Amino acid sequence: MNDKPLNSRSRTITAGVARSPNRAMLRAVGFTDADFDKPIVGLASGHSTMNPCNAGIGELARRAEAALRAAGAMPQIFGFPTVTDGISMGTEGMKYSLVSREVIADSIETAVQSQCMDGVLAIGGCDKNMPGALIAMLRMNVPGIFCYAGTIKPGCWKGEALTIVSPFEAVGAYTAGRMAKEDFEGIEKNACPTFGACGGMYTANTMSSAFEALGMSLPSSSTMACPDAEKSDSVADSARALVEAIRLGLKPRDIVTRKSIENAVAVIMAIGGSTNAVLHFLAIAHAAKVKWSIDDYERIRRKVPVLCDLKPSGKYVATDLHQAGGIPQVMRMLLDAGLLHGDCIAITGKTVAETLKDVPRRPRADQDVIRPMERPLYPHGHLAILKGNLAPEGCVAKITGLKKPVITGPAKVYDSEDAAMAAILADRIKPGDVIVIRYEGPKGGPGMREMLAPTSAIIGKGLGESVGLITDGRFSGGTWGMVVGHVAPEAAAGGVIALVKNGDSITIDATRRLLQLNVPEKELAKRRKAWKPKKPKYTRGVLAKFAQLVSTASKGAVTD
């Protein structure tokens, strides 16, 4: 630690005779005379016993608090809400998930700015904790760091490794008569054995990995397991790094630039990350005032291979990736291949190249989680941006690992996830069909629900390779198959997806990155003239406010 004095915003709260009432209140929470010259650091905690993802955060927050004090700062703990997608999935409660990203950002901004805090350390475990916290940091542009609460360890049933997606897929298999009741119950009871976020390369682990690549989290911290001692040690290290960043005046917008976002997206492609990362990084770039569009993902996808064999479509989970060398190993390989910007600065004050200089150039030979650059899992990235008359603003698909990258079939149209799920479980979906789930977009849902329940049911029914699905909603990071989400404009905004009728021919072509409704434009114009918007489902409360403010998915579904 150098001797440069800390630049304290909080002195506007604590300095001078005029501030004596403020000081009196701070004395009540433990400040002494010597503490008023120290930087006040917000410790934003997502602790919650509602879910395994965030249930371990309380202990981590206490460790961070102690480390901040020891480093010369005055930590002030406050909470932010969380939604656990795995619990609310398939219910009306899931509409609050994406909304919570904005609520979290607003909560952290409100707490930090109202108290003129000098920095913020956020600890979160669920999908929206991460982008929500970073959006707040970028809006405020005060020194900040994100600490991931850690991944869950895999469950096990009859020798098979389990994740949270396993019980969702078991529903389809059990209802189709392809799974015994003993196995159905065994999977449910053993899928989540510890605290931590969902274990595959789903949205939480995707975003934590991306934040490490971005430079807003410490090296190797993104793939640690929540229960392990190294996770707690990493949080303490993060606290010390933040205090040094405050001393140096290193701020989030110094770190989050167009080049560092390119680094993060390159890593997302290399690890086979979640489609939700597309939506969240559009929002993050917006908060950072960085020029970034949906077409930039396709630009990165074409040049970055998939290097990691991870669930949902692969074999391994995040803890396996950690043991194989984690994100630093992946980044070193990408850097050597000229696919990363080595001069980007991180929260540690080091550049990417300096951080990775001692990481081996090649992955270890005794593992196959991380493939060598000359033998990737796939030669190009997996998150493709499709366009066509059904999605003129674009949509997102996972295109790797598909045996049949093209499907043309009759539309089976449903105006909600619930209606589609009922049809799937009742065996009304046949091979060759293209399911359309609409009015589930940012405005129409509202809230852009994830479609893990129907996509997992399709997999469980054995239809994963023969049925297509498109939606203006989102997908879980655990989703795989011939599925296309984030269709924009959405149905509620009068997008072409609102004009589709049962039996219409739809083409999903991953090779040409095309999503096309095979209906003449003259007929579409006729349907468009007859279309009327649906009445809002919510007229008061947070969902109503979100529906009124939210942008299109192609711009990140932001509210400011």
Side-chain angles (χ1 to χ4, degrees):
M1 190 73 70
N2 63 40
D3 295 326
K4 184 178 178 180
L6 291 167
N7 180 19
S8 180
R9 283 203 321 157
S10 57
R11 286 178 186 161
T12 62
I13 290 283
T14 63
V17 174
R19 300 297 182 188
S20 60
N22 314 55
R23 294 163 67 100
M25 293 190 76
L26 288 170
R27 289 185 191 281
V29 293
F31 276 65
T32 66
D33 287 346
D35 297 326
F36 289 113
D37 288 331
K38 297 176 181 177
I40 294 178
V41 174
L43 206 170
S45 169
H47 176 73
S48 168
T49 58
M50 291 165 56
N51 53 72
C53 318
N54 287 38
I57 290 177
E59 181 179 335
L60 297 176
R62 287 188 287 273
R63 182 73 188 275
E65 180 185 27
L68 286 167
R69 289 186 188 278
M74 287 303 290
Q76 302 291 285
I77 299 177
F78 62 90
F80 57 80
T82 191
V83 171
T84 303
D85 297 355
I87 294 174
S88 61
M89 196 74 69
T91 74
E92 196 74 0
M94 185 64 197
K95 293 182 177 181
Y96 289 85
S97 174
L98 182 59
V99 176
S100 76
R101 184 190 73 184
E102 305 303 296
V103 174
I104 290 165
D106 292 349
S107 299
I108 294 174
E109 178 188 353
T110 299
V112 173
Q113 295 291 70
S114 67
Q115 305 302 299
C116 297
M117 294 178 183
D118 299 295
V120 59
L121 182 152
I123 311 178
C126 284
D127 300 3
K128 312 309 173 299
N129 295 176
M130 283 166 268
L134 185 54
I135 287 168
M137 293 177 194
L138 290 165
R139 284 182 192 166
M140 300 180 295
N141 204 31
V142 298
I145 192 168
F146 186 85
C147 298
Y148 184 39
T151 185
I152 200 170
K153 293 188 174 183
C156 185
W157 176 249
K158 293 185 176 179
E160 180 183 351
L162 303 175
T163 70
I164 187 58
V165 175
S166 304
F168 281 93
E169 294 182 354
V171 170
Y174 181 64
T175 58
R178 299 171 60 238
M179 178 178 287
K181 184 178 181 181
E182 176 194 11
D183 293 323
F184 177 68
E185 293 179 347
I187 289 170
E188 182 265 314
K189 291 177 180 178
N190 292 279
C192 297
T194 70
F195 289 161
C198 305
M201 193 45 68
Y202 310 144
T203 304
N205 284 324
T206 297
M207 296 307 295
S208 68
S209 299
F211 280 16
E212 181 178 328
L214 192 66
M216 288 299 295
S217 295
L218 292 189
S220 297
S221 66
S222 65
T223 50
M224 295 174 178
C226 179
D228 290 349
E230 66 175 348
K231 181 76 262 182
S232 181
D233 291 343
S234 175
V235 169
D237 290 341
S238 298
R240 289 186 282 269
L242 175 60
V243 174
E244 181 65 6
I246 294 170
R247 188 182 299 278
L248 295 173
L250 182 59
K251 298 178 180 179
R253 286 188 221 155
D254 299 326
I255 298 168
V256 181
T257 63
R258 182 173 173 84
K259 289 168 68 174
S260 69
I261 289 175
E262 288 184 346
N263 284 353
V265 173
V267 167
I268 289 165
M269 295 294 178
I271 62 179
S274 166
T275 54
N276 281 311
V278 174
L279 193 75
H280 295 325
F281 267 93
L282 286 167
I284 287 164
H286 175 77
K289 301 181 179 180
V290 169
K291 185 179 179 182
W292 187 259
S293 77
I294 195 168
D295 296 320
D296 286 311
Y297 295 96
E298 186 61 27
R299 176 173 57 83
I300 302 296
R301 185 195 72 81
R302 288 196 297 265
K303 61 183 182 180
V304 177
V306 179
L307 298 174
C308 300
D309 189 6
L310 297 166
K311 290 180 181 291
S313 58
K315 293 188 291 186
Y316 298 105
V317 295
T319 50
D320 298 318
L321 174 60
H322 189 63
Q323 293 301 316
I327 297 305
Q329 180 65 76
V330 176
M331 290 182 68
R332 177 59 192 262
M333 294 162 62
L334 294 175
L335 180 67
D336 288 352
L339 297 172
L340 290 187
H341 301 286
D343 58 343
C344 289
I345 198 79
I347 186 65
T348 58
K350 294 181 179 180
T351 65
V352 167
E354 290 169 340
T355 300
L356 301 175
K357 64 181 178 64
D358 295 326
V359 176
R361 292 180 177 274
R362 295 181 58 81
R364 295 199 325 266
D366 63 348
Q367 58 80 45
D368 62 348
V369 183
I370 306 172
R371 300 286 187 90
M373 188 63 70
E374 69 274 12
R375 191 170 53 84
L377 201 62
Y378 304 105
H380 304 289
H382 63 303
L383 296 180
I385 305 303
L386 277 57
K387 291 190 175 181
N389 69 346
L390 250 176
E393 291 181 12
C395 55
V396 185
K398 281 185 179 179
I399 64 171
T400 50
L402 298 174
K403 294 178 182 178
K404 298 178 181 178
V406 181
I407 183 171
T408 295
K412 293 287 184 71
V413 183
Y414 304 96
D415 284 357
S416 70
E417 175 190 4
D418 311 84
M421 187 66 176
I424 295 165
L425 294 179
D427 294 323
R428 294 199 292 271
I429 305 300
K430 306 301 179 185
D433 287 343
V434 177
I435 301 168
V436 178
I437 304 177
R438 63 190 181 188
Y439 293 100
E440 290 285 8
K443 288 183 180 293
M448 209 177 179
R449 284 196 286 186
E450 291 182 349
M451 303 292 148
L452 180 60
T455 57
S456 295
I458 289 168
I459 299 297
K461 291 280 188 181
L463 298 170
E465 296 288 350
S466 61
V467 167
L469 188 152
I470 71 170
T471 180
D472 52 9
R474 297 181 295 130
F475 293 119
S476 163
T479 294
W480 63 279
M482 180 61 90
V483 296
V484 181
H486 307 200
V487 171
E490 63 176 289
V496 175
I497 191 172
L499 310 180
V500 182
K501 292 185 176 181
N502 279 313
D504 284 349
S505 172
I506 292 177
T507 295
I508 306 171
D509 189 333
T511 58
R512 291 193 293 159
R513 299 179 300 283
L514 176 70
L515 182 64
Q516 189 77 9
L517 176 61
N518 302 311
V519 172
E521 182 55 41
K522 187 175 181 180
E523 171 63 18
L524 290 180
K526 181 180 176 182
R527 294 182 190 181
R528 189 175 290 109
K529 189 174 181 180
W531 177 81
K532 293 181 180 179
K534 292 179 178 288
K535 291 182 178 180
K537 296 176 183 177
Y538 293 85
T539 57
R540 299 184 69 183
V542 67
L543 291 182
K545 286 187 282 188
F546 183 84
Q548 290 173 14
L549 295 171
V550 71
S551 75
T552 178
S554 66
K555 294 186 178 179
V558 298
T559 57
D560 64 344

